[in-house]
Amino acid sequence: MACFTAVAQNPDSTMVFEVKAPKKYRIGGVEIEGAQYTDRSVIKLLSGLDVGDEITIPGDKTADAIKMLWKQSLYEDIQIIQDKIIGNDVFLIIKVVERPRLTRFKFTGDVRKSEADDIRGKVRLVGERIVTDYMLGTIKNTVRDYYLDKGYYYNEVNLIKMKDTSTKTPHIILFIDVKKGKKVRIQDVNITGNTVIKSWKLRHKLEDSKRFRWYNPFNSAKYLEENLQKDLPAIVDKYNTKGYRDARILKDTVYFVSKNRVNIDITIDEGHRYYFGKFNWFGNAKYRSGQLDTILNIHPGDVYDQSKLEAKLIMNPNGFDISSLYMDDGYLFFQVNPQESNIHNDTIDFDILMYEGRQATINKVTVSGNDKTNDHVIYREIVTRPGQLFRRSDIIRSQRELAQLGYFDPEKLNVIPTPNQADGTVDIEYIVAEKPSDQIELSGGWGGRSYYAGQQGGLGIIGTLGVTFNNFSAKNFFKKEAWRPLPSGDGQRLSIRAQTNGVYYQSYNFSFTEPWLGGKRRNALTFSAFHSRFSNGEKKYTNGETGKIINPNLSSMSIIGTSLGLGKRLAWPDNYFNLYTNLSYNYYDLTKYSAFIFSTGYANDLNLGINISRNSVDQPIYPKQGSNFVLDMKFTPPYSLVNNKDYTGLTAAEQYKFIEYQKYKITGEWFTQLTNKKAAEGKEARNLVLRTKVGYGFLGYYSKRAGFSPFERFKMGGSGISGFQNFVAQDIIALRGYPDNSLSGQFGDPICARYTMELRYPITLNPQATIFVLGFAEAGNTWSNFKSFNPFQVKRSAGFGLRVFLPMFGLLGIDYGWGFDNVPGQPGIGNGKGQFHFTIGGQLGEL
C-alpha cells in the first residue's frame, strides 16, 4: 500500500489517498470533520466536491478544493482523506482544523486610556472574530501608524497571543504591547537662498512642521514626512503673492541631530519679481471691458500675485469679483479663463477668455436631511424660488438664514446646484443635518450686592432651572402622536424658567414666540410674563393677638410683569434690518425694601419698546464674520408733562407711583476672521476670529422737575450674570476683572459705556459640544449725569477665558480678568488684581 502527500499553499494542508496509479472514480459521499463553527454544507459547497461528480485520484480537483477552502482564511489545517472505495465509488473526508477565535484583547505598555479608546475605534475588534495572519498584520500596522501620526517615530508594536483555557473551543486572548519611545520633534528649520522674505515669516507658513519651543504649549513640533511635503508648497505660495512666480524649492533635507530631534534644511531659488501688464477681455457681451477692469481693480505695474488675480476673477469670499457679477445675474454657466499672452522683461500681459452662456432659471428647490424640522420652516427661510433667475448671493444668504435658525449644524450645511444647459435651468438641493436645539438651562451666578431691610448684603448663588424648546409646534400640542418626546418642527420658541436662591429670592418666567405669524410673512409675535419676589427671608404673615397679621419684620419686593411684542424684517435699507416693538407693563410692590429711593410703596411701569437692528452674523454659536448693530429704545408716557404736579412737595413713593423715563441703548458688534485655513474632508476648519463691540446706554427724562428715574438704571462690573436683577428694572453690564456691580452707584447710574475686544480660537466646532478659548481686553464705566460723561474715562481690564456650548445646557464659561484701574472708595479692587468669573448659561451684559 502506497501513500503520498500533496501540498497546497500550506504544509499542513494535505490530500491522503491509497493509490497505485491515477484512476477515475465517482464521488459517492463527502463527510466533514473538525468543523465546529463553520456550516458543513458551506464547506462542501466551497470545495466543489459534489456527490456524483467524476474525480481522478490523484488529480487537480482535490488540489483545487484545498486552495478554495484555504482562501477563506478560516482554517489552520485542511486534509482531504480517502475513507473507502466501494466499486467505482470513492468516499471522501474533508478534515479541517479551524483557526482560533478572539476572546478579548488588551493593551499593555505605554498606552494611555484615551489612546486605547482611539485605537479601538480604528481596529474595531470584536469577540469571536477569527484570528488570521491578515487581521494580526492589520492591527499591528494600524497601531504603529497611529503613533507615527503622533510623532513617535521609533514606536514598537508586538502582538502576544495567549491561549484561553476557559473555553472548550480554540480561543485566544490578544495582548497588544506598545513601546512608544520618545517623540521625534523638529529642533530647527534652516532656510537658505531667501533674500526677499525673512526666514521667520517662511517658517510661519509651515503649518504642521514648526520648530519645537518649550514656551509654546500649542505646538507639538512633531516631525512627519507627509506634513512637511504638505507644508512646503505654502512657502512657494508666499513668494507668489510677492510677485515671484518662478520661486521654487531646490531641495529639502531632513537629518537627525539626536535620537529624537531632527533638523530640516530648505534651499530656495527665489527667481525674479514680476508685475501685471495689460488685460484684454474676450467674449464679454453683457458688460463693457471698462466695467470689468473696474471690478478686477488690477492695474499695469501692480506686483504680480496669482492668488489676487484668482480672487478677483472667481474666488473672492466677499463676492466682489467677475464671477459673482455674472452669477448674481443668472449666468450660472459663466466661465472665465485667464491666459498669459505676453511676457516682456518682468511684465506679464493677460488675455481673459470668457464664456457668458445663457441665464439660468431655477427649476426645482428641494431640501433633504431634515428628520425633525418641517419642510415649510426651511422653505420660508430660503430666498431662492422656482422661476427666479439663479443668483449666487441668494444661495449664500439662504445658507446664512438656515444657520441662524440654530436647528442645523452650520459646518454640514451644503447646497448642490444641478444645472441643465439644454433648457437653461438649474435644480437646487439644500442638504441639512439636524442638531439638538432644545435646552435644559442650568444657570448659576453670584447675586452680588443687593439691599433689603435697609441693609447692604448679598444674595449669594442664584440658581436657574428652565427649559427652552427652540423648535416647538403649538398646533400639534394636542396630538398624541406628535409627542416624540415633544411636539416639534414648526420653529416656535417656548421657554419656562425658574430662579431662586432659597427664601430670599424666587422668580418665574414664561415666554412664547411665533416667528412667522400667519405663516406667510416674517412677522414674529412674542408673549411673556413673569413674577419675581425678593425678601429678607421672613414669612409674609405672623400670628398676632387678633390672628394672622402682616409680619412687621418683613422686607420684600414683589414684581409682576407682562409684555406683548411684534417683530418684522425690513426691506429697507436692506433685508438684514429688523424692527421689533413691544408693549410692557411691570408692577412693583415694596415693603421696607431699600432697593430704590423709596422703600415702601408701589410703582407702575408701562412702556413702549422699539428695537431696530441689523444682523448679518453668519451663525449664532461661533460667528466668524458679519456684524450686529442694535438701537434699542423704551418710552413711558410723559406723566410729568401733563399732570402739573409740584414734585418738590411729593415723597419719593408718591413721585414714582407711575414711572416715567426714556431710555436708549446703542451697540455695534463685528466679527472678523483673521485666518483662512481650509479643512480637509471630514475635518473642522479652525480659524482665529476677532470680536469687537462697543455699546452706550442713556437714561433720559421728560422734565427736570421729575429728574432721572430710579428704575432702568445701569450697573456695571463682574460677569454681568446677576440675572435676578434683570427683573428689577436695572441693566447689569459686565466688566470682567472687577467685582459685580462695583463700578456704579448704589442705585445704578443713568449713563454707561463699554468697549470689548475678544480674540477667539475654536478647540472644536462639533455641534454636540462647541468649545473655544478667548483672550479679552475691555473697558467701561457709568456716570451719574451728562455733565460728567466722558466716554474715554473708563476702567480697563484684560484676561482670558473658555467657552463651552452644550445644546442641552447652553453656554458655559469661565474667565480670569485683571482690573487695571482703581475704584474710588474701594481700595480692595482693581489696581492689577485679578479674579475669576464663572457663567452657566449667562450672557456677559447686553452692552
Side-chain angles (χ1 to χ4, degrees), residues 439-502:
Q439 295 179 5
I440 297 177
E441 183 182 0
L442 178 62
S443 302
W446 182 253
R449 299 187 303 171
S450 66
Y451 301 86
Y452 58 88
Q455 302 291 327
Q456 176 176 325
L459 290 183
I461 295 177
I462 305 299
T464 301
L465 178 62
V467 290
T468 301
F469 307 110
N470 290 302
N471 196 0
F472 192 69
S473 176
K475 72 177 183 180
N476 293 325
F477 189 84
F478 296 103
K479 295 181 179 180
K480 182 179 179 181
E481 63 276 8
W483 288 77
R484 303 188 309 269
L486 289 165
S488 60
D490 282 341
Q492 298 163 340
R493 187 176 188 272
L494 175 67
S495 176
I496 303 173
R497 192 166 178 254
Q499 290 183 304
T500 185
N501 80 326

Side-chain angles (χ1 to χ4, degrees), residues 732-777:
I732 308 301
I733 310 300
L735 194 70
R736 291 161 285 186
Y738 299 91
D740 287 344
N741 309 330
S742 61
L743 303 181
S744 305
Q746 176 180 349
F747 301 114
D749 292 315
I751 305 169
C752 76
R754 180 170 176 258
Y755 314 94
T756 303
M757 181 181 295
E758 287 184 354
L759 199 60
R760 300 176 167 187
Y761 185 79
I763 304 301
T764 174
L765 296 175
N766 189 321
Q768 303 298 327
T770 301
I771 304 173
F772 60 91
V773 294
L774 60 89
F776 68 86

Side-chain angles (χ1 to χ4, degrees), residues 83 192 328 344 382 404 615 670 829:
D83 181 24
T192 58
D328 280 344
H344 45 98
I382 294 173
Q404 285 288 354
N615 187 350
W670 298 264
I829 63 176

Side-chain angles (χ1 to χ4, degrees), residues 496-542:
I496 303 173
R497 192 166 178 254
Q499 290 183 304
T500 185
N501 80 326
V503 295
Y504 298 106
Y505 167 69
Q506 302 89 37
S507 178
Y508 308 95
N509 181 283
F510 169 85
S511 69
F512 174 80
T513 299
E514 167 55 73
W516 285 70
L517 184 63
K520 294 182 179 180
R521 296 181 181 273
R522 192 188 293 268
N523 296 325
L525 177 69
T526 299
F527 171 77
S528 65
F530 72 88
H531 171 67
S532 299
R533 186 174 185 273
F534 300 79
S535 76
N536 60 352
E538 294 284 343
K539 294 182 179 180
K540 185 174 182 179
Y541 298 98
T542 187

